[in-house]
């Protein structure tokens, strides 16, 4: 496969069983082959997208010492601000050329999870920042819920199989700023080649060239979304749960050509996580003689912790 397939969520939500099945088949095939789709028909409207980018740019334009007030020690970077070069991909020593922010779950009626998750961090300098972030979080979460319903049907499960696992799940909305490149980078790229930890990732901001996906031949292909599309990919948790039937594909963000070094890039991924006690044990329906069970049993919480240690965000 040499390009990213495009699908439309309106087919799935249309009420027409033929269009619904078409969406299930298209996204299922894409995720078995390359692990990425460009998705139209999501729940973010243009005004919300514009407002979110405005607030995100305003935040990253604040003075460094103001932003650093919001870097919270001791929580593995799960909420608030994470400064330049802190995170590196698994197996890489160089920190990526980016700074970012984390919005986390807005827990509904579950005191146990409210205690488990760190609180969201309020930015006092920007009165609309948190409210806009929350609204975008909710719309991306809603989009993800329908994508997972389609995947449940593709896997022969109940349509709502994932619903209870993702309600109050440990999902993260991460606005990223890749600042202008000031000098020839030694090793670091904007984001080194990596797979995502979570169930699925919904990415805003893949409109310009930068994101690349590795196909099964090992070739890097550009993943460029249309203005009204989100890029959505399979993460390692879902790949593991399906015995690698659905592919979590390695991807990266390359440095721009030298003439664009003076420009910032903003990108906003939403990492859809389940609740931490979801069992990621391989689904029986994904095991057969040709595809024996590839992964040990593990919960989502255990798997996340293991990976955050590997990424250097949590110290052993």
């Amino acid at each position: 496969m040499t390009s990213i397939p495009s699908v439309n969520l309106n087919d799935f939500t249309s009420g027409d069983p033929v269009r619904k099945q078409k969406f299930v088949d298209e996204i299922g095939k894409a995720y078995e082959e390359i692990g990425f789709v460009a998705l139209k028909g999501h729940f973010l409207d243009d005004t919300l997208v514009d407002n979110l980018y405005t607030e995100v740019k305003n935040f990253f334009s604040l003075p460094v010492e103001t932003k650093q007030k919001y870097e919270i020690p001791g929580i593995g970077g799960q909420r608030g601000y994470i400064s330049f070069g802190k995170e590196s991909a698994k197996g890489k020593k160089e920190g990526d050329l980016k700074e970012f922010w984390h919005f986390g779950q807005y827990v509904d009626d579950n005191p146990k999870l409210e205690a488990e998750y760190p609180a969201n961090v309020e930015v006092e300098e920007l009165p609309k920042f948190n409210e806009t972030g929350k609204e975008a979080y909710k719309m991306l979460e809603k989009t993800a819920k329908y994508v997972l319903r389609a995947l449940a049907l593709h896997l022969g499960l109940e349509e709502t199989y994932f619903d209870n696992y993702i309600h109050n799940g440990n999902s993260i909305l991460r606005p990223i700023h890749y600042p202008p490149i000031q000098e020839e980078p030694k090793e670091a790229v904007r984001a080194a080649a990596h797979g995502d930890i979570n169930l699925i990732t919904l990415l805003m901001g893949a409109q310009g060239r930068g994101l690349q996906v590795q196909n099964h031949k090992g070739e890097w292909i550009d993943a460029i979304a249309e203005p009204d599309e989100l890029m959505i990919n399979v993460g390692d948790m879902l790949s593991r749960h399906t015995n690698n039937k659905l592919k979590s594909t390695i991807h990266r963000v390359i440095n721009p050509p030298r003439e664009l070094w003076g420009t910032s890039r903003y990108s906003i991924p939403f990492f859809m996580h389940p609740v931490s006690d979801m069992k990621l044990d391989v689904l029986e329906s994904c095991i057969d003689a040709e595809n024996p069970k590839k992964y040990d049993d593990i919960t989502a919480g255990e798997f996340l912790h293991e990976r955050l240690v590997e990424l250097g965000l949590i110290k052993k």
Side-chain angles (χ1 to χ4, degrees), residues 130-175:
N130 290 85
E131 169 196 325
T132 307
K134 179 176 182 178
E135 204 182 327
Y137 186 105
K138 292 289 187 192
M139 290 301 108
L140 286 159
E141 189 174 46
K142 183 178 178 182
T143 303
K145 178 167 82 173
Y146 284 96
V147 169
L148 286 170
R149 284 181 176 181
L151 293 176
L153 291 172
H154 177 70
L155 293 165
L157 303 166
E158 279 289 319
E159 182 173 337
T160 55
Y161 169 81
F162 289 103
D163 282 24
N164 284 338
Y165 296 126
I166 59 175
H167 177 64
N168 287 332
N170 196 13
S171 301
I172 292 279
L173 177 62
R174 171 191 277 194

Side-chain angles (χ1 to χ4, degrees), residues 45-79:
D45 64 42
D46 292 347
T47 308
L48 178 54
V49 171
D50 291 345
N51 290 347
L52 183 61
Y53 275 106
T54 300
E55 292 303 320
V56 163
K57 288 173 184 176
N58 287 344
F59 175 77
F60 289 121
S61 304
L62 291 170
V64 173
E65 54 279 10
T66 306
K67 290 186 285 192
Q68 283 174 339
K69 284 196 315 196
Y70 299 111
E71 194 153 22
I72 313 297
I75 58 168
Q78 290 178 75
R79 301 288 183 276

